[in-house]
Amino acid sequence: MGLVTGACLAHVGHRVTCVDKDEGRVAELTEGRMPIYEPGLEELVVGEVGQGRLSFSTDLAGTVHEADVVFIAVDTPQGDDGSADLSSVGAVARMVGGALAQPEARRRQRPLVVVNKSTVPVGSGDFVSMLIEEGAAEAGGAHSSTPGNNNGATVDYRVASNPEFLREGSAVYDSFFPDRIVLGADERDALDTMRALYEPIIEQTFPTRRDPRPKAAVPFVTTDLASAEMIKYAANSFLATKISFINEIATICELVGADVGSVAHGMGLDERIGSRFLSAGIGWGGSCFPKDVAALRSIAREYDHEPLLLDATVSVNERQRKGVVAKLQRELHTLKGKRIALLGLAFKPNTDDLREAPSLKIACELYQRGARVVGYDPVAGKKALGLLSPPDLLKVAFDPYEALEGAHAAVVVTEWEEFRGLDLGRVASSMKDPRLVVDGRNLLNPSDVGAAGLRYRGFGRG
Ligand code: UGA
């Protein structure tokens, strides 16, 4: 997320330095090698490095001295109790404070704006300020974010919250053409600095090959720090709830003989509901929804509030995963000794991210029931190799037909475009009876699959 943001801000005309403590990663990026698979990113990074607007460094203090704005874009993984682990955010904030206490910082003309882009619990803006102060004090300086309360120091800083709404797999597009930019800060000058930074995106004046541009202008939402932090959790939790809602409807559709695709279409045309995020199937995963819903539930509990709706959102999602195993058991009876192919391993298409990927949970469940599981993914295969233990829990094939060879059942786990074009006749002839296809994303056309001699089971499709 930091890399995408940095590259996009460079493209709209700013000078950007991305700092990472990992020297190997910095060297790789400088040479144009990407640590993740993200469409359009490599071209963008290489182009901006070539233009001299984007560089990489391990020197945080030196970069802070040069900067008007510092984004904190480190991860906030889920702790054991579901809450967000802020140790990386805290460490960076402290280092920024330390840099601000160095004599070089006296050359600064304007307050440094420290922007939190990592998803953090509500109130973390204060936490970041506290750690900047502590870092500065430890390094022998005294700074304050409050104008006029500088204790003799020549510079100060502001803290802002700028939650991120980009999606993996379309992160570059989302950064250039966002639905909105949200900025939380308690001081006017911080908002002004950030408005100026995002101006080319807000006004859509940066160079792009997209013709016409998808957006005319982008709403710039300014608010207090706590509300900005809350917007991020509320947005992700709402989207996760929307998916769980349609999955609940899909289950009822199956019982009554209705088709969830038609239901979602008919519902989604109501502008108040909207058609997106109404695809039923095995549910949501990834590095964001599971973590953010868990964190919001944990925040609510801290205040002795039972988040009933969010609890149900998670329960429905867990039930969808189990639904895959139940469908397989219903058709194959015993899973012992059965070979099952997983088509798609990444948590969604166009990424190689396997964090909280449904494929991994499903592979574990099937293995425990005695099945042999072979997975195929167009890009995440290498990452999946040896990820689970024991190593034979999930074998990885590098061709879809190889994964399907001799399989009693196949599960479409990720809706990669490639799977739409599978030669179903070839699939049927390489599989073994009952030649079952469990379509976890309702991707395939049931009658085409049936016509090829395969048995089809989707989610909520009558
Ligand atoms: C999500 C949000 O969509 C972004 O706005 C946000 O910035 C990001 O989290 C984040 O917090 O960093 P992302 O996790 O990349 O983005 O992926 P999504 O496209 O939202 O999909 C999340 C999961 O929901 C995937 O497992 C996907 O397969 C599933 N999904 C999505 C469904 O099951 N049904 C749908 O209709 C849509």
Side-chain angles (χ1 to χ4, degrees):
M1 182 247 288
L3 177 61
V4 174
T5 305
C8 291
L9 286 173
H11 186 73
V12 303
H14 300 296
R15 266 189 51 223
V16 180
T17 306
C18 294
V19 178
D20 200 294
K21 63 179 179 186
D22 181 340
E23 282 176 24
R25 174 163 290 184
V26 166
E28 267 177 29
L29 283 164
T30 306
E31 288 161 18
R33 279 182 285 138
M34 299 301 108
I36 48 163
Y37 174 83
E38 187 63 45
L41 184 60
E42 184 172 337
E43 190 192 347
L44 184 68
V45 169
V46 171
E48 294 312 314
V49 170
Q51 293 286 327
R53 284 190 291 251
L54 180 63
S55 58
F56 300 94
S57 171
T58 51
D59 175 17
L60 187 125
T63 306
V64 167
H65 296 320
E66 297 284 312
D68 298 309
V69 177
V70 168
F71 284 96
I72 301 181
V74 293
D75 63 342
T76 48
Q78 190 175 324
D80 293 338
D81 58 353
S83 64
D85 175 350
L86 294 182
S87 48
S88 300
V89 172
V92 172
R94 240 174 226 281
M95 285 190 268
V96 170
L100 282 173
Q102 290 174 358
E104 290 91 322
R106 302 220 173 90
R107 290 200 301 266
R108 179 173 293 287
Q109 306 288 318
R110 277 176 289 179
L112 177 72
V113 181
V114 181
V115 188
N116 202 1
K117 233 182 192 334
S118 304
T119 304
V120 292
V122 183
S124 299
D126 298 343
F127 170 76
V128 167
S129 300
M130 182 183 87
L131 291 169
I132 292 176
E133 302 279 348
E134 280 182 15
E138 273 161 25
H143 292 79
S144 168
S145 67
T146 316
N149 182 23
N150 260 5
N151 296 337
T154 51
V155 291
D156 66 1
Y157 65 91
R158 307 282 183 260
V159 171
S161 165
N162 177 209
E164 188 51 75
F165 304 107
L166 51 82
R167 295 160 298 171
E168 286 183 33
S170 49
V172 172
Y173 178 92
D174 290 348
S175 299
F176 285 133
F177 308 109
D179 286 345
R180 77 299 207 187
I181 293 172
V182 173
L183 216 291
D186 293 332
E187 295 98 358
R188 181 77 242 169
D189 57 356
L191 293 175
D192 292 344
T193 303
M194 295 308 291
R195 174 86 175 62
L197 184 87
Y198 279 121
E199 184 80 12
I201 296 178
I202 295 169
E203 300 300 337
Q204 290 286 297
T205 51
F206 61 90
T208 175
R209 269 183 251 141
R210 284 188 192 266
D211 182 25
R213 274 176 199 269
K215 301 264 172 214
V218 174
F220 186 66
V221 180
T222 55
T223 174
D224 58 279
L225 271 170
S227 302
E229 289 161 352
M230 192 65 190
I231 286 170
K232 171 70 187 191
Y233 282 119
N236 270 1
S237 299
F238 179 82
L239 292 171
T241 303
K242 195 172 177 189
I243 300 167
S244 284
F245 178 86
I246 200 65
N247 281 331
E248 183 77 283
I249 296 294
T251 304
I252 302 173
C253 280
E254 253 173 57
L255 297 172
V256 301
D259 176 55
V260 73
S262 308
V263 174
H265 179 64
M267 276 173 68
L269 288 171
D270 183 328
E271 282 182 12
R272 293 169 303 173
I273 296 173
S275 58
R276 294 163 77 191
F277 280 69
L278 282 183
S279 299
I282 55 184
W284 40 272
S287 64
C288 307
F289 287 178
K291 169 174 82 74
D292 290 353
V293 177
L296 189 53
R297 290 167 81 202
S298 154
I299 293 167
R301 294 219 162 86
E302 239 179 70
Y303 293 86
D304 292 327
H305 172 73
E306 280 303 311
L308 299 177
L309 184 60
L310 300 178
D311 292 350
T313 294
V314 172
S315 304
V316 169
N317 203 46
E318 284 165 359
R319 199 174 58 192
Q320 295 310 105
R321 308 275 199 275
K322 292 194 184 117
V324 172
V325 178
K327 281 178 201 291
L328 289 165
Q329 276 180 324
R330 209 170 299 137
E331 304 289 332
L332 304 179
H333 306 299
T334 175
L335 295 177
K336 268 195 199 66
K338 298 281 164 41
R339 180 174 159 117
I340 297 167
L342 300 185
L343 296 179
L345 298 171
F347 85 96
K348 65 181 237 186
N350 298 322
T351 174
D352 60 352
D353 198 339
L354 288 159
R355 287 175 287 177
E356 295 284 328
S359 60
L360 304 181
K361 208 164 230 149
I362 291 169
C364 291
E365 292 271 335
L366 294 176
Y367 183 82
Q368 275 163 16
R369 287 168 169 77
R372 289 288 165 261
V373 188
V374 190
Y376 164 76
D377 190 280
V379 301
K382 259 200 199 142
K383 268 200 178 170
L385 271 179
L387 194 66
L388 299 177
S389 90
D392 67 339
L393 194 156
L394 174 66
K395 293 207 177 93
V396 177
F398 289 90
D399 175 275
Y401 299 101
E402 189 189 323
L404 288 159
E405 188 64 48
H408 301 87
V411 182
V412 178
V413 185
T414 317
E415 64 276 36
W416 283 99
E417 223 17 68
E418 178 181 323
F419 299 145
R420 280 186 214 278
L422 280 176
D423 176 345
L424 293 173
R426 186 171 166 198
V427 171
S429 59
S430 54
M431 285 178 72
K432 277 194 187 148
D433 275 340
R435 294 179 163 76
L436 171 69
V437 175
V438 174
D439 187 354
R441 298 292 178 182
N442 289 350
L443 178 82
L444 305 172
N445 182 326
S447 31
D448 292 351
V449 177
L454 296 154
R455 195 182 293 180
Y456 181 87
R457 292 289 176 270
F459 276 75
R461 298 184 116 177

